[in-house]
Amino acid sequence: MNIREVFYALSDDIRLKIVRILIENEEVCVCQFQEIFGLSQPNVSFHLRILKKAGLVKSRKEGKWSYYSLNRENPVLDALIPFLLSEIPPENIKLSCERR
């Protein structure tokens, strides 16, 4: 883990919101992020790849879909969660994935 990558990953509003959503939800499918942000799959994957490279999220594949969750083993993320909860408003969304 490179601390610069962590702070770079958290320097974008979309990525901050992704982390906030993952704090509130155990696991989220790429298709759900596409719906939430109104972005294309490649654009969402770009943001998730940056978060993954920084060690903030982890992923798993199920068929052709990728599911993301927080990397709770990252000590930097652990320290930042209280700040993220207080500074980033919760996303009042209902997650549903018809592709499951």
Side-chain angles (χ1 to χ4, degrees), residues 8-23:
Y8 171 71
L10 296 175
S11 69
D12 181 89
D13 286 338
I14 290 175
R15 293 190 292 269
L16 280 172
K17 288 179 181 179
I18 288 171
V19 171
R20 180 65 159 120
I21 290 166
L22 289 173
I23 290 170

Side-chain angles (χ1 to χ4, degrees), residues 1-20 22 37 43-58 70-71 74 76-77 80 83-84 88:
M1 172 187 55
N2 179 327
I3 194 72
R4 288 182 185 160
E5 288 176 344
V6 170
F7 285 109
Y8 171 71
L10 296 175
S11 69
D12 181 89
D13 286 338
I14 290 175
R15 293 190 292 269
L16 280 172
K17 288 179 181 179
I18 288 171
V19 171
R20 180 65 159 120
L22 289 173
F37 296 113
N43 200 333
V44 171
S45 292
F46 166 78
H47 289 292
L48 290 165
R49 190 170 36 257
I50 290 171
L51 289 166
K52 190 173 178 180
K53 184 176 179 191
L56 299 172
V57 302
K58 55 187 179 177
L70 287 180
N71 180 5
N74 184 322
V76 174
L77 180 62
L80 290 174
F83 173 77
L84 293 170
I88 310 298

